[in-house]
């Protein structure tokens, strides 16, 4: 009985591979999927105007000290010829990898992936500041917090906002709706819908990290001079 139900769920669950190569659930969810989430973020570079409201909000909400940052918007350009010049903006923050080099090297268990949410976090109490995780992260998004002396990075505002049912601070602060946050396990979530219908990409996928920060690539750039 159990086996036939499992078989039914298996055949009923269609899987869709988006342009970024990520597989997202579509259709009825299996039992294990109903109890766990897999949070992801999309940065739509075509909507980003490089205003930095996201990184300012992140710093304020998460008490990130000056001199370090959990989130940076990188500006490239200008491209093109005057007066048709434009900039491109990309997001630099933790990618919440499915396969986590930072977690693998941590000797104390301070770096961990929360199985209930898929969010990669740091337990500051367990961190001894060895910096192995900083060296192992291919995206170079970790740092030692000068106040806590522990490794630090984006955690999708797990403790400061998600717990209260709020969106990450960056998502709420963005004036152009360039950021979409949600659960990849929920086929009806906005994040899944956007990924299914919009060409997107992720960085350094060749390393097998399976990042959950997706990007909608800018074409002509967004801010014209
Ligand atoms: S981006 Fe770096 S810190 Fe974030 S989960 Fe991946 S390896 Fe770890
Ligand atoms: S700095 Fe902290 S989180 Fe990073 S590997 Fe060392 S103990 Fe683990
Ligand atoms: S707040 Fe939105 S528009 Fe402004 S830099 Fe961040 S992602 Fe881009």
């Amino acid at each position: 009985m159990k086996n036939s139900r499992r078989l039914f769920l298996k055949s009923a669950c269609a899987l869709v591979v988006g342009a970024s190569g990520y597989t997202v659930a579509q259709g009825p969810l299996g039992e294990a999927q109903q109890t766990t989430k897999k949070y992801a973020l999309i940065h739509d570079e075509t909507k980003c105007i490089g205003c930095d409201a996201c990184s300012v909000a992140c710093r304020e909400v998460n008490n990130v000290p000056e001199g370090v940052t959990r989130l940076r918007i990188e500006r490239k350009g200008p491209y093109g010829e005057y007066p048709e010049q434009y900039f491109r903006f990309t997001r630099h923050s933790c990618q919440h990898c499915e396969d986590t080099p930072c977690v693998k090297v941590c000797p104390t268990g301070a770096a961990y992936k929360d199985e209930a949410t898929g969010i990669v976090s740091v337990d500051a109490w367990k961190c001894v500041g060895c910096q192995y995780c900083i060296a192992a992260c291919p995206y170079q998004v970790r740092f030692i917090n000068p106040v806590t002396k522990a490794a630090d990075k984006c955690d999708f505002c797990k403790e400061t906002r998600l717990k209260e049912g709020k969106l990450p601070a960056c998502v709420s602060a963005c004036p152009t709706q360039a950021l979409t946050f949600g659960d990849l396990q929920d086929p009806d979530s906005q994040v899944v819908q956007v990924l299914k219908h919009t060409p997107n990409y992720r960085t350094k996928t060749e390393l097998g990290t399976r990042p959950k920060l997706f990007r909608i690539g800018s074409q002509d750039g967004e801010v014209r001079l």
Side-chain angles (χ1 to χ4, degrees):
M1 175 70 180
K2 238 180 179 177
N3 278 348
S4 59
R5 183 161 184 271
R6 207 172 287 147
L7 275 175
F8 166 75
L9 285 171
K10 203 174 165 190
S11 56
C13 286
L15 294 175
V16 173
V17 181
S20 63
Y22 203 89
T23 307
V24 294
Q26 187 187 52
L29 294 175
E31 285 165 0
Q33 288 173 316
Q34 285 174 344
T35 55
T36 58
K37 294 181 187 304
K38 211 177 262 190
Y39 284 123
L41 184 73
I42 305 170
H43 181 219
D44 186 341
E45 296 166 5
T46 68
K47 291 183 181 169
C48 183
I49 56 171
C51 66
D52 260 346
C54 50
S55 51
V56 170
C58 169
R59 182 175 299 284
E60 200 170 304
V61 166
N62 297 300
N63 285 323
V64 182
E66 289 301 322
V68 288
T69 186
R70 287 183 173 194
L71 161 61
R72 193 170 73 244
I73 297 293
E74 290 177 347
R75 185 176 83 161
K76 290 183 186 151
Y79 298 99
E81 299 286 325
Y82 182 84
E84 293 298 312
Q85 288 178 301
Y86 57 87
F87 292 100
R88 287 179 177 151
F89 302 101
T90 52
R91 176 176 168 121
H92 185 83
S93 66
C94 178
Q95 320 275 310
H96 294 281
C97 306
E98 275 294 281
D99 195 72
T100 46
C102 56
V103 172
K104 284 180 186 164
V105 298
C106 180
T108 67
Y112 70 100
K113 184 167 79 172
D114 178 11
E115 292 306 328
T117 60
I119 295 175
V120 180
S121 296
V122 180
D123 182 340
W125 290 103
K126 289 186 182 171
C127 180
V128 293
C130 67
Q131 304 192 26
Y132 288 177
C133 58
I134 295 175
C137 171
Y139 300 95
Q140 299 179 314
V141 294
R142 286 180 166 254
F143 57 90
I144 295 292
N145 185 308
V147 175
T148 64
K149 310 294 183 199
D152 202 337
K153 62 167 202 66
C154 159
D155 65 355
F156 283 158
C157 296
K158 193 173 80 168
E159 301 301 327
T160 51
R161 307 252 315 169
L162 291 192
K163 257 191 185 162
E164 297 168 7
K166 295 177 183 166
L167 287 168
C170 56
V171 178
S172 294
C174 179
T176 65
Q177 284 79 52
L179 296 166
T180 306
F181 177 79
D183 180 11
L184 289 175
Q185 302 283 53
D186 175 2
D188 297 324
S189 67
Q190 202 188 351
V191 84
V192 168
Q193 293 305 314
V194 171
L195 289 176
K196 273 170 64 182
H197 299 296
T198 319
N200 57 82
Y201 73 100
R202 294 174 294 163
T203 57
K204 300 189 180 179
T205 48
E206 70 280 6
L207 300 177
T209 48
R210 292 186 285 148
K212 295 198 293 293
L213 173 57
F214 297 81
R215 303 157 192 278
I216 296 172
S218 67
Q219 290 166 358
D220 288 327
E222 303 74 29
V223 174
R224 292 187 177 277
L225 295 175

